[in-house]
Amino acid sequence: ELFQEQLHRIENELMLGFQRYPAIENVGIKTWVNGAFTFSPDGNPLVGPVPGKRGYWSACAVMAGFLQGGGVGKTLAEWMIEGEPETDAWSMDVARYGKYAENKRYIRETTGQFYSRRFVMSYPNEQLPAGRPMKMAPAHDAMTQAGCRWGISWDLEVPLYFAPSDEFEEKLTLKRSNAHEIVAEECKSIRGGVALLDITGFSRFEVKGKNAEAWLDKLFATKLPKPGRARLAVMLSPTGKLKGDLTLLNWGDGTFWIMGSYYLRAWHMRWFNDQMQDGVSVRDLGDDICGFALIGPNSHSILQKVAEGDVSKMRFMDCKRLDIGLIQSHVARMSVTGEMGFELNCKMGDHIALRRILLEAGADQDIREVGFNAMLSTRIEKSFGIWSAEFTQDRTPGMTAMDRWIDWDKPDFTGKAAVVAERNGNGPEKIQVTLEIEDGDSDASGYEPIWSEAGEMVGFVTSGAYGHTVKKSLAMALIEPALANEGTAVTVHIVGVERRAKVITPSPYDPDGMAMRGLSMQTN
């Protein structure tokens, strides 16, 4: 629907255009177009195969049509013909939204917010209000009363950290904020005591059926876990590029769970449906299952207090059904923080009670609720990558060190020929490393350029944070293989300041993985 043209609004721009290009002064204007901008909630286009409508493709919300049309067209053509774009198209993939975005008020609030902020400075610790809150974990109100400050993942409110008082207000900054020390205290609880993290913001898919195991074996490049076990699972496209860094859990009764990033729910379900076979069913559990992670050296003793049954024999990466008080839960012994931990998954209706049970059981050991900012710090200390940072769909296992999880002896899996060729060829142009950066008042967050001592740009940061346990500013990065050796000196630009950095051995905290396995660690 177009509007009546209003020439007076663009008269100055037209005159400047005629002056700049005199040849068009007398050509005339054949058609006037005066219409509304087409905005998506985040201002990016909506491109790609529409989930649930096989063969139906979208190229909508292209705000700056002449400017963005070439890139959108190229991406869509590659996608249709080759099966995937050359570069990571997540930022404009239609699957970055779910059905929640069909809500008219959500669209009105978020597109209005984007339009009003097109030329406003944004900050990495900024939380915008439009379209929120939408979905909340059942214990949201109780956690808010406990000081929780919330972020957003897809449609869900997720905990960032727990403020010491109602009056605390985080100040917007490109550098370390006044929440820095709060996160430091949360990390202390993770590493030295016991912490509780709401993990409703993990995705969960249930896979069942007579052909489920065979389907998963073809879908994943990783060896499948045995009954009662979990395993980090690498999923690839036919060209050998990453489609997921997921966790696969085998509950032992023919049921598998796939766990991953909550905001990728529609994206992953689209992929699962594209690969679907008879005798397999995949169900998104994201609206049914939630839970908490119990993390830290004391997590085991607290879980033992409330679990019906002996948990002492649960090994690292074991998974089993457990009754926690009156709650039936699915429990896995693992943690993204690199510390001993248990992920307790329950039904939505049990979320409030599970939190209460765990907090009461850990009260005498100073259990502390923590948020995802602390998890960011602790996972960087372990050199654990995450999706949309270290792992993207235009990178390969060889680039990201995910090739160590591939079962090369499997007769076949999606993408095998491509990753075998990568392994047997010259290797990737860049590979993943961990950097220790000269300390300052800010930390790397992603895409900061990395320079060699000769002044050449040799890579970029994928993610970074301050490691509160090791007391160092850390980052993960992709750099040229020749510079990936331990001790190699480089520089990184962080918030406009050139800082010295060096390549270090991965996992500066507990490199042997003793803590997460529940083994004693030698400390300095």
Side-chain angles (χ1 to χ4, degrees), residues 193-206:
V194 62
L196 190 67
L197 172 68
D198 172 28
I199 57 169
T200 304
F202 290 172
S203 70
R204 300 163 178 86
F205 299 92
E206 178 189 75

Side-chain angles (χ1 to χ4, degrees), residues 158-289:
V158 295
L160 299 179
Y161 59 87
F162 285 74
S165 68
D166 292 340
E167 291 73 32
F168 177 83
E169 183 177 345
E170 186 174 7
K171 297 177 181 178
L172 298 179
T173 179
L174 294 173
K175 302 179 180 180
R176 292 174 189 158
S177 80
N178 54 333
H180 185 73
E181 293 305 319
I182 296 174
V183 176
E185 291 300 314
E186 293 185 3
C187 290
K188 283 183 182 179
S189 294
I190 290 173
R191 295 285 189 229
V194 62
L196 190 67
L197 172 68
D198 172 28
I199 57 169
T200 304
F202 290 172
S203 70
R204 300 163 178 86
F205 299 92
E206 178 189 75
V207 184
K208 301 175 72 173
K210 63 180 181 179
N211 295 326
E213 189 167 346
W215 182 75
L216 289 168
D217 200 37
K218 177 68 184 298
L219 190 69
F220 286 100
T222 310
K223 183 181 295 185
L224 298 189
K226 296 179 179 179
R229 296 286 287 168
R231 188 183 293 273
L232 182 67
V234 182
M235 191 165 63
L236 304 174
S237 74
T239 61
K241 294 179 181 178
L242 296 175
K243 291 297 288 187
D245 68 312
L246 300 154
T247 304
L248 190 58
L249 303 97
N250 183 345
W251 296 110
D253 62 353
T255 302
F256 293 83
W257 276 14
I258 301 171
M259 294 185 66
S261 301
Y262 186 88
Y263 65 94
L264 296 173
R265 283 172 58 188
W267 188 71
H268 273 140
M269 183 56 88
R270 184 179 65 191
W271 178 251
F272 297 149
N273 286 333
D274 286 346
Q275 314 304 312
M276 192 52 62
Q277 298 177 358
D278 291 338
V280 181
S281 69
V282 179
R283 184 165 67 98
D284 184 347
L285 301 175
D287 293 330
D288 302 318
I289 302 295

